[in-house]
Amino acid sequence: MRLFPDVVFASLIPLSIFVHLVFSPYTKVEESFNIQATHDILFHGIPYKDIDAKLRANYDHLSFPGSVPRTFVGPLALAVASWPFKIIANRQGQQLLVRAILGLFNASCLLYFRDRVGEACGRNTANWYSLFQASQFHVTYYGSRTLPNFLAFGCTTIALADLLPISSTSGFQSRSMKARYKRALTLLTVMGIIFRSELAVLVGTYTLWFLIMRRISPLDAVEAGLYGAVVGLFLTVPIDSFFWVENFLWPELKGFIYNVWEGKASNWGTTPIYYYLSSALPRLLLNPLSYQVCIPFALFTRPLRDRALDLLVPNVSFIFIYSFVPHKEWRFIIYSIPPITAAAALGASWIWTRRARSFAYKIISLGLMASTIASFAASLGMLAISRLNYPGAEALMRLHALEPPGHTTELIRVHMDTLACMTGVTHFLENGPPSQSSKNIEYQPVVWIYDKTENASMLLLPTFWDQFDYALVERPEKAIGKWDVIDTVNGFAGIQVLGPDDVAWATKETPWEQSTYFVGSAQRFVIELAKVWGVFGALMRTKVTRGWWIQARMEPKIRILKNIRQVETKVVLDRKEELDSI
């Protein structure tokens, strides 16, 4: 039976993911394929006849395929899980619903991992794991985001939980433990086959470690790999061949060949071999004492050493081996964060339970408390900054709110440029077609048509721009014709140090922020928090820092343009109708 404090500590993980979801509800380009594919399945269904034509007419991925195909297994699972709840949310709210389901799944998997940590290392270690994990920014912020890595994250976390050591005794494990290890390695292999090929390296490091520790036999390892490959291919090949309209498609194999074998991933930049261990890993763990104090304690304390090695050796080896791939991103090693965090929690628990025994342990324990609180504050600070990175989504929502009531045009055409589409615009945020039940002749509902043309030659044609009523663009001078800037959406552009004579950036309400379009109450709460922070900053500048302060530096990112020609044409037509009636 769980004690009440254990429940409180455990609840911090899903609560943290939920807070990051609600306060930053939009998505960026890295998440676009999976969120758009989930939308298309939910709203257009899965065709069973004229498949090619219907997919090309309704699905986004065939118009914007990207460098390599991505799997539909994750979007299909999200769409199936979200479908029963479609009726409780409008179109915009369903994006939040889809992300909430993914976030809930990943949170549940982290709680499963926490329970396994408790079985292997004790409840105090499990509680410290909860504190460390909930206070990390990246896992909680991205836990509900449809990056391929986080579609695989939940199942990899379950697999790594089942690979945690329950006993430190040497020799071959019991049959039930060996079966659990095999299932875990099979699940890791399935995730690697479907979602992320780098998991093959993690499977390899765990398999080698377990062979060295005599927990599985070579035959067990081969069986787990074969089972995982068969199950993964059985899922990904039929599903993705159907949605991509190809005869035999294994997307992750194509991605591996393109990015790793052909080295095309380097086109997105390269980093030094030490990047993961010196930069990415500390940022992912966030709490400096977790890796500077707690992990060394776990490694150099004899009763903890075996469990610490089980948690660290396969995962650090995976990170080290993957460091030789030139293109590096923190999300490529995210799967190893729960085990490494558990190793830190192991050391923290040892220190905390001995805080009354010596002055040194007491001081370190106080430092752990302070650094954990600071990590929560830093995570929330990064959330406050990160939510400013979606000007495309905010511009689209503002446009919907700014469109004046009584608009008599039956069609409103909107062009959205590349930056707008990369910073939050999704099909979920678009105004869908009007309800078919609307039969009122006097009131014709407005139909919104959205365009994402990227073709450079098309963008140079005046006739192209002439067809749109509105445009969301980064550079208004590229819009050909007569346009009026009706609103400007700012975005994050770095941290700014304010001097005594500098004016602080003010958070002002906009028609979008006053609307109830998209988790409106949460967004208004964020605005109120920003105002409180502004008052606090003003007080500190006046009373403490002598005018010095830091704040997010904002700059214009997306302009909302209105086609003046459309307005002039409408005025002329209205005047003509008025004269005809006379």
Side-chain angles (χ1 to χ4, degrees), residues 13 17 102-103 105-111 113 129 133 136 138-140 142-145 147-161 187-188 191 195-196 199 202 284 330-339 341:
I13 294 175
I17 291 177
L102 177 60
F105 174 71
N106 283 331
S108 300
C109 296
L110 287 169
L111 291 177
F113 186 90
Y129 169 78
Q133 191 69 80
Q136 293 170 3
H138 290 83
V139 169
T140 52
Y142 289 90
S144 65
R145 296 185 172 275
L147 289 163
N149 313 77
F150 282 90
L151 293 179
F153 180 78
C155 288
T156 60
T157 302
I158 290 175
L160 297 182
L187 183 56
L188 276 179
M191 293 296 103
F195 291 108
R196 296 299 307 180
L199 286 170
L202 188 60
L284 291 170
W330 62 263
R331 59 191 178 96
F332 296 161
I333 62 168
I334 195 67
Y335 326 102
S336 292
I337 294 305
T341 303

Side-chain angles (χ1 to χ4, degrees), residues 25-56:
Y26 301 126
T27 61
K28 289 188 77 174
V29 62
E30 298 87 352
E31 311 156 56
S32 63
F33 169 78
N34 289 305
I35 198 70
Q36 304 284 42
T38 304
H39 167 276
D40 293 342
I41 295 172
L42 273 173
F43 283 89
H44 301 299
I46 302 174
Y48 58 90
K49 60 181 180 180
D50 299 328
I51 295 172
D52 190 348
K54 289 184 178 179
L55 286 175
R56 294 186 184 280

Side-chain angles (χ1 to χ4, degrees), residues 93-113:
Q94 285 178 38
Q95 176 168 300
L96 192 71
L97 174 65
V98 168
R99 286 190 52 200
I101 289 173
L102 177 60
L104 180 62
F105 174 71
N106 283 331
S108 300
C109 296
L110 287 169
L111 291 177
Y112 178 80
F113 186 90

